[in-house]
Amino acid sequence: MKYLPDLEQLQGKPVVFYDGTCGFCQGSVQVVLKHNKRQDLYFAALQSGVLEALVPKAQIPDPLPDSILFYEAGRVYTESEAALRIAGYLDFPLSILAAFRIIPVSFRNFVYRLVARNRYRIAGRTESCMLPSPEQRARFVG
């Protein structure tokens, strides 16, 4: 299992930033963990401060979205682009979802925002982040 003791070693690694208080987001992270057998994705809650420490300030969206960001190859992706890029790291058949990037971004983001706006109604809110298993813990930062 990979272990990343500091942020310097995280440079160049794909990182999923998620809302640590959102049940829907935490459930989504669990799906990604289960279906990313290569274990090449890393995770940090938006509330952890890792985003601000890892990503250049000029690339951090303002205002900061409260659902998901994806940091890959030195770039930050938001909304549907983030979700579909993450899908590309998943095992088959879920990796096929990345093909939805051919759909116009305006429509994709409309659907994404609709789900994001209602995510607390869909899955609730929690007071703390989920506790990953010992095997998964090495993929979480912050």
Side-chain angles (χ1 to χ4, degrees):
M1 188 65 54
K2 303 170 194 166
Y3 177 69
L4 297 172
D6 60 47
L7 293 176
E8 187 174 297
Q9 290 183 314
L10 202 57
Q11 291 294 331
K13 308 284 188 206
V15 182
V16 176
F17 293 97
Y18 63 96
D19 180 354
T21 64
C22 170
F24 185 84
C25 299
Q26 290 185 29
S28 298
V29 167
Q30 289 296 319
V31 169
V32 172
L33 281 166
K34 181 179 179 182
H35 297 284
N36 177 233
K37 298 280 192 267
R38 293 182 311 250
Q39 298 183 359
D40 54 355
L41 289 174
Y42 295 87
F43 304 87
L46 285 167
Q47 297 85 351
S48 69
V50 173
L51 176 69
E52 293 81 0
L54 180 66
V55 178
K57 184 175 172 100
Q59 290 187 39
I60 298 174
D62 186 25
L64 188 63
D66 61 357
S67 53
I68 192 170
L69 290 175
F70 185 52
Y71 186 60
E72 176 189 44
R75 290 196 58 201
V76 174
Y77 299 95
T78 61
E79 300 184 314
S80 67
E81 188 65 24
L84 295 177
R85 284 183 176 272
I86 293 165
Y89 284 83
L90 303 181
D91 305 318
F92 183 82
L94 291 177
S95 60
I96 293 173
L97 293 171
F100 283 106
R101 289 180 56 210
I102 66 169
I103 295 172
V105 71
S106 60
F107 180 74
R108 286 189 284 135
N109 282 344
F110 170 79
V111 173
Y112 178 89
R113 289 176 192 137
L114 183 66
V115 172
R117 195 170 36 248
N118 294 291
R119 69 188 189 279
Y120 292 121
R121 278 186 240 148
I122 295 168
R125 182 183 283 255
T126 62
E127 292 301 315
S128 62
C129 295
M130 66 181 176
L131 294 174
S133 70
E135 303 84 40
Q136 297 168 337
R137 198 165 293 130
R139 295 172 61 197
F140 284 79
V141 182

